[in-house]
Amino acid sequence: MANLYLISQGDATVEAFQPSVPSQATLSSLGEVHVNMLAHSLRDTRFEMVYACSSPLSMETAEILNRNRKRAISVIKRLALADFKSDFDINGECFDLSLCIYTMMAQSRGFCSSIHAQLKIVEKRLLEIVENIGALYKGNVLIVMEPLMVKLLTNHFLSEQNVETKWNSIRPASLSILHSDAKGCHLILNNDISHYQCQSVA
């Protein structure tokens, strides 16, 4: 049995959103504060492994979370998710988180979209990766992803009773937890940002 800590990468600087300099994306000052707050709240949680997307923001977020821990992981494993973008890059718009969330919700209300079909393909691949990671470990695993990736995973496990929650955007440096056991994965924490109130590192 494993607990998979899904972390949404920290907020980026404004310059990070310029198409001409995608490789220069770095955490904003506020983004770094939020990630450090999360690191502080997880300081006593032991992780067997740390995974991160290959995006600069995900790696930077993972490095901060892994830094200065009593039992830091020597090597952060990379999730090869960059190629996922080609699966649902439609006119360069579908990777916008707000648009993707709207598309997913509209589909449930009878609106058919090719973007939604592509998102379901990516969701399936993400689930396979997460389930494989869950089967490898018996303790806690930290996984840092782009917000859309976290949203796809958490929405999959939300019940119909949580339909309004599905509309919520994933906050930067938020924490969601999947519990993995013999019966599969179960969402036990969703989009938590209570660590934003941590005063000791503010």
Side-chain angles (χ1 to χ4, degrees):
M1 296 186 294
N3 287 320
L4 309 180
Y5 285 63
L6 305 180
I7 310 297
S8 172
Q9 65 188 25
D11 198 18
T13 57
V14 175
E15 291 77 8
F17 295 103
Q18 296 180 5
S20 59
V21 287
S23 62
Q24 303 302 313
T26 57
L27 290 174
S28 65
S29 296
L30 181 59
E32 189 169 348
V33 167
H34 286 162
V35 175
N36 275 296
M37 286 179 172
L38 177 57
H40 181 76
S41 71
L42 296 176
R43 65 191 182 282
D44 296 324
T45 304
R46 180 180 177 181
F47 293 105
E48 292 189 37
M49 185 52 63
V50 177
Y51 288 84
C53 291
S54 56
S55 70
L57 285 174
S58 289
M59 288 302 300
E60 186 177 0
T61 299
E63 288 167 358
I64 291 175
L65 294 174
N66 189 47
R67 187 186 305 155
N68 299 324
R69 300 181 59 83
K70 291 182 179 179
R71 296 186 178 183
I73 303 300
S74 58
V75 177
I76 296 176
K77 291 191 176 182
R78 295 199 178 201
L79 294 173
L81 301 180
D83 60 326
F84 279 28
K85 293 187 179 182
S86 62
D87 286 342
F88 55 104
D89 185 8
I90 302 173
N91 297 325
E93 294 182 333
C94 64
F95 222 64
D96 177 83
L97 182 59
S98 298
L99 175 60
C100 287
I101 293 173
Y102 174 79
T103 302
M104 286 188 288
M105 297 309 99
Q107 175 69 15
S108 65
R109 301 184 182 196
F111 176 78
C112 185
S113 168
S114 58
I115 295 178
H116 180 271
Q118 298 299 90
L119 285 172
K120 296 303 289 185
I121 294 174
V122 176
E123 177 188 302
K124 180 179 179 181
R125 294 175 64 188
L126 281 170
L127 287 169
E128 291 173 351
I129 289 176
V130 166
E131 288 172 354
N132 287 337
I133 291 176
L136 288 175
Y137 303 95
K138 295 183 178 180
N140 301 316
V141 180
L142 187 70
I143 306 175
V144 182
M145 295 179 166
E146 296 179 15
L148 176 57
M149 306 298 183
V150 177
K151 188 65 179 174
L152 287 171
L153 284 169
T154 55
N155 266 20
H156 177 82
F157 294 101
L158 287 173
S159 66
E160 291 302 320
Q161 287 73 29
N162 304 116
V163 64
E164 293 303 322
T165 305
K166 289 187 177 183
W167 283 93
N168 297 340
S169 293
I170 291 292
R171 300 291 296 274
S174 66
L175 169 63
S176 300
I177 301 178
L178 287 176
H179 177 71
S180 176
D181 56 30
K183 296 181 180 179
C185 289
H186 316 277
L187 184 67
I188 60 177
L189 186 66
N190 182 41
N191 199 24
D192 180 67
I193 55 170
S194 58
H195 49 276
Y196 280 19
Q197 306 304 317
C198 179
Q199 298 297 317
S200 62
V201 293

